[in-house]
Amino acid sequence: MLAADLALAAGVALLGLGVEELDSGGPVRMALGAAAVFPLVLLRRRLPAATLVAAAAVGPFLPGTVLVTLPLGWSAGRRIVGAGRALAAFVLAFLASVGFGVLEQWSGMRPLLVVVFTTLMFLVTTVMPGLASRYWSQRRTLLQALQERNRQLLRERAMVAGQARLRERQRIAQDMHDSLGHQLALISVHTGALEVDPELTDRQREAVGVLRQASVSAMHELREAVGILRDGVEAPAPVEEAHPAARGVAGIAGIVEAARSAGTDVRLGTAGTPRPLAAACDHAAYRIVQEALTNAYKHAPGAAIAVELRYEDDSLVVEVANGPAPAAAAGAVVSGGQGLTGLRERARLVGGMVHAGATGDGGFRIAGVLPYGAEPAGAEDAADDFGQQERGLAGGPPMDWAAVDRELAVRGRSRAGGLALGCGIAVAAVVALLIVFAAMIALFIGSANNAMISRADYDRVRVGDSEQSVRDRLPDGDSFLTDGLDRKGPPRPGGSECLALMSVDDSDFGTDTVFRFCFKDGKLVDKQSYEAEH
């Protein structure tokens, strides 16, 4: 920040030296102007009003500081708190600029021209940057406030949505616990009692034991699912389970062995070098085999089942195929109709896919392809419980696309309004500059008409003519162009009053031809023609 301010001050000071050179300023005035620029620029952030008024006050005496009002006006418009204070600072700076300008130019120009010229310059170099800066600052502050409010609304919406999801999950968990828990408990109790029935054969008792173990495992799985629904985290494996059910590839052998114990012809095959999978992919492989075996039990009871795990270069292929059913299943088959849909969705969320279809021999085949990687695919467009999309940002609130659209619309309108206002300010600045240039041209032409004559006019005037007749034929010389020219030539006659005019026929750059007429006692007593430097 300091380096930028120093660079800005150096640039303004360098331009100010050029202004001083055009105004024929001496070395002392150039040094004072350059020295005044640096503290004004460096203090404009801490003291915006004071530096603005100070620059307006010293500007008429040090023309080299005229350009510093541009950054000072910008800082004052942006940093002065309160419209009343800003207006007071700009009005005070304007009065200082006009007052000291009239005071400094009182002897060389008409006060009205000084007031008009100073007012136009103040509008262009100070008021326009101040208005533009204040508008830009207020617009940025308003936009930041709107963005913060939008973020707060999104956070509040996320909290409300999270609470709603939690209540819905707790309701689902309670329903599952009350309905399925009761039924599974009854199954476990009855199969436990049936297992010790002395009238059962060993094979029947073994089958009943498999059913009881399945009901116990289902109870534990239900307990874990209920815990996840209630708390949002996976519950640890229950300690009372003698053989905890693995939820990954390692557990596939267990469910295959359980199916064999129940009398189903199931074969498990593995190809390739086993590789570790991400937790979600590992669990998906287990669920694919579990759902495929369940489908085979329901739709093709007694059919042989082949389970195969193939570790490919970039993915694990899980394939479960069963042959045609030896006989039609007795009774209606109870099916929820969502098993394969759930498998496809589970595989899609981990970047894989599931294919299911009939085989040529009348059987059925389910195959899943699961990547080894841990990055879930499609998470960025996964829908939440309310059917709205969420951004895949860790810990971030859900993206409210409607709010984003509204914000973009507001920004579009604000940009259009800002563009219109900016164009208005630019047009006003251009108009003001044109007025200033026109006033400067008019001032220069008027001053030139009051300050210049031709060589022929000079020659027609004779020493000894009356002062009144000479003044009637010559301009009055009331111009800043002739200020001090009467003192640059040869010595003036004692007690005389002189009129100095410039020649319209000058062709040399850097010097002016001056015609001086000196009067005493109502007559022209001397006239001189000489060269004077600018």
Side-chain angles (χ1 to χ4, degrees), residues 442-498:
L443 178 63
F444 182 80
I445 293 175
S447 297
N449 291 333
N450 292 331
M452 292 185 176
I453 60 173
S454 64
R455 171 66 67 172
D457 293 334
Y458 173 77
D459 293 336
R460 281 195 293 267
V461 177
R462 303 295 181 183
V463 176
D465 293 344
S466 65
E467 179 179 357
Q468 187 62 41
S469 63
V470 173
R471 289 188 180 274
D472 289 341
R473 284 181 286 173
L474 299 178
D476 58 12
D478 185 11
S479 171
F480 68 93
L481 296 175
T482 61
D483 186 24
L485 291 180
D486 60 331
R487 296 186 296 272
K488 294 183 179 181
R492 299 182 297 179
S496 63
E497 182 181 352
C498 298

Side-chain angles (χ1 to χ4, degrees), residues 220-468:
H220 290 308
E221 290 192 18
L222 177 62
R223 186 180 304 169
E224 292 180 11
V226 169
I228 293 174
L229 285 174
R230 284 180 174 172
D231 304 329
V233 296
E234 189 169 354
V239 297
E240 67 271 19
E241 187 176 359
H243 302 285
R247 299 295 183 267
V249 175
I252 294 178
I255 58 177
V256 169
E257 184 61 32
R260 288 200 193 100
S261 301
T264 305
D265 183 11
V266 183
R267 298 185 304 276
L268 175 62
T270 303
T273 303
R275 294 176 56 181
L277 283 81
C281 297
D282 199 35
H283 190 66
Y286 177 85
R287 290 303 185 190
I288 290 174
V289 175
Q290 187 182 50
E291 180 64 23
L293 291 177
T294 302
N295 284 344
Y297 298 155
K298 292 189 296 185
H299 299 285
I305 305 173
V307 179
E308 186 175 2
L309 305 177
R310 295 198 302 273
Y311 291 92
E312 305 288 351
D313 293 337
D314 56 353
S315 60
L316 170 65
V317 179
V318 181
E319 182 176 347
V320 181
N322 61 269
V333 176
V334 179
S335 175
Q338 300 297 321
L340 293 178
T341 302
L343 289 183
R344 292 190 179 97
E345 180 65 16
R346 186 186 296 273
R348 187 186 69 83
L349 291 177
V350 298
M353 59 178 295
V354 170
H355 171 76
T359 60
D361 58 356
F364 198 79
R365 173 179 172 270
I366 297 176
V369 180
L370 304 172
Y372 297 121
E375 291 295 332
E380 66 276 3
D381 56 355
D384 61 9
D385 294 340
F386 297 93
Q388 296 173 330
Q389 291 181 340
E390 297 184 355
R391 299 182 68 178
L393 298 178
M399 176 56 67
D400 187 352
W401 292 108
V404 171
D405 292 339
R406 290 193 298 270
E407 178 71 12
L408 291 176
V410 169
R411 289 190 182 186
R413 290 194 295 270
S414 65
R415 284 179 182 148
L419 180 61
L421 183 57
C423 291
I425 293 175
V427 170
V430 171
V431 171
L433 283 174
L434 292 177
I435 294 175
V436 170
F437 290 147
M440 293 177 63
I441 293 173
L443 178 63
F444 182 80
I445 293 175
S447 297
N449 291 333
N450 292 331
M452 292 185 176
I453 60 173
S454 64
R455 171 66 67 172
D457 293 334
Y458 173 77
D459 293 336
R460 281 195 293 267
V461 177
R462 303 295 181 183
V463 176
D465 293 344
S466 65
E467 179 179 357
Q468 187 62 41

Side-chain angles (χ1 to χ4, degrees), residues 19 31 46 65 74 83 100 105 140 157 182 198 202 207 266 289 293 316 328 353 416 423 494:
V19 174
R46 292 183 177 273
T65 63
W74 180 274
F100 287 108
Q105 297 288 342
R140 187 183 66 172
R157 176 188 175 277
H182 176 69
D202 292 339
V266 183
V289 175
L293 291 177
L316 170 65
M353 59 178 295
C423 291

Side-chain angles (χ1 to χ4, degrees), residues 5 77 104 115 130-131 135 146 158 220 243 255 279 332 351 408 495:
D5 287 344
E104 199 274 336
V115 172
L131 289 177
Y135 163 74
L146 290 176
H220 290 308
H243 302 285
I255 58 177
L408 291 176

Side-chain angles (χ1 to χ4, degrees), residues 176-235:
M176 291 177 61
H177 180 272
D178 294 344
S179 59
L180 296 179
H182 176 69
Q183 300 299 331
L184 289 175
L186 288 178
I187 293 174
S188 179
V189 169
H190 286 293
T191 53
L194 184 61
E195 188 177 9
V196 297
D197 190 341
E199 296 183 1
L200 294 180
T201 63
D202 292 339
R203 180 173 179 77
Q204 291 173 336
R205 187 173 289 106
E206 183 179 358
V208 172
V210 171
L211 293 176
R212 184 185 64 80
Q213 183 62 36
S215 64
V216 171
S217 299
M219 282 288 292
H220 290 308
E221 290 192 18
L222 177 62
R223 186 180 304 169
E224 292 180 11
V226 169
I228 293 174
L229 285 174
R230 284 180 174 172
D231 304 329
V233 296
E234 189 169 354

